[in-house]
């Protein structure tokens, strides 16, 4: 059993471990592991700091977004109010315009009616004058006309005296 393979493997392993311990390889490995642990702790601290910064930035942007949404709502409300005011003003102006146009049209119609009535009266007066002249001319012709002229002259003399 002294020459069994497993025995020689165990002896070789113990010699290898002894050599490693003699040269202090275990301290080098432990120092490397400790250094790696410190490096990981630094990276974790940096990651935590970056996460906190990111959360602060997100909170800031959420606040800005809320403010922008509020401002947008205010702008929309102001625009609606302006639109309603402008619509009311436009309606008032249109109503005033229509009223003025209606009054102008009524005035023109009244003026046209008055002018037509005046023209009809003038035409009627002209026709009546022409008819009266024609009737008087017929009456003045002949013997009855001479008597009328004599009676008119006598009446004028009587009034003048």
């Amino acid at each position: 059993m002294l020459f069994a393979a497993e025995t020689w493997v165990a002896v070789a392993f113990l010699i290898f471990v002894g050599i490693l311990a003699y040269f202090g390889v275990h301290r080098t490995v432990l120092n490397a592991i400790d250094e790696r642990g410190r490096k990981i702790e630094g990276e974790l601290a940096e990651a935590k700091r970056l996460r906190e910064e990111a959360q602060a930035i997100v909170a800031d942007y959420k606040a800005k977004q809320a403010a922008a949404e509020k401002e947008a709502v205010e702008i929309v409300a102001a625009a609606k109010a302006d639109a309603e005011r402008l619509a009311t003003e436009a309606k008032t102006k249109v109503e005033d315009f229509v009223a003025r146009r209606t009054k102008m049209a009524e005035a023109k119609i009244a003026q046209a009616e008055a002018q037509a009535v005046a023209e009809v009266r003038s035409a009627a007066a002209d026709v009546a004058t022409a008819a009266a002249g024609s009737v008087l001319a017929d009456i003045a012709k002949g013997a009855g006309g001479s008597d009328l002229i004599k009676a008119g002259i006598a009446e004028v003399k009587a009034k003048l005296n």
Side-chain angles (χ1 to χ4, degrees), residues 6-83:
E6 290 87 11
T7 305
W8 287 110
V9 169
V11 169
F13 180 71
L14 289 174
I15 292 171
F16 177 71
V17 170
I19 292 171
L20 289 177
Y22 177 74
F23 286 111
V25 173
H26 64 287
R27 279 177 269 164
T28 306
V29 169
L30 289 175
N31 287 339
I33 290 173
D34 288 342
E35 180 62 31
R36 179 74 176 142
R38 283 189 293 277
K39 188 176 179 184
I40 289 172
E41 284 177 4
E43 289 175 355
L44 285 174
E46 178 69 14
K48 183 178 178 183
R49 184 186 64 78
L50 290 174
R51 188 181 93 215
E52 289 171 354
E53 282 182 22
Q55 287 175 341
I57 290 172
V58 167
D60 184 42
Y61 279 111
K62 283 184 180 179
K64 286 181 181 178
Q65 180 184 9
E69 288 175 358
K70 181 181 177 185
E71 185 178 349
V73 168
E74 290 172 356
I75 289 172
V76 168
K80 283 182 181 179
D82 286 346

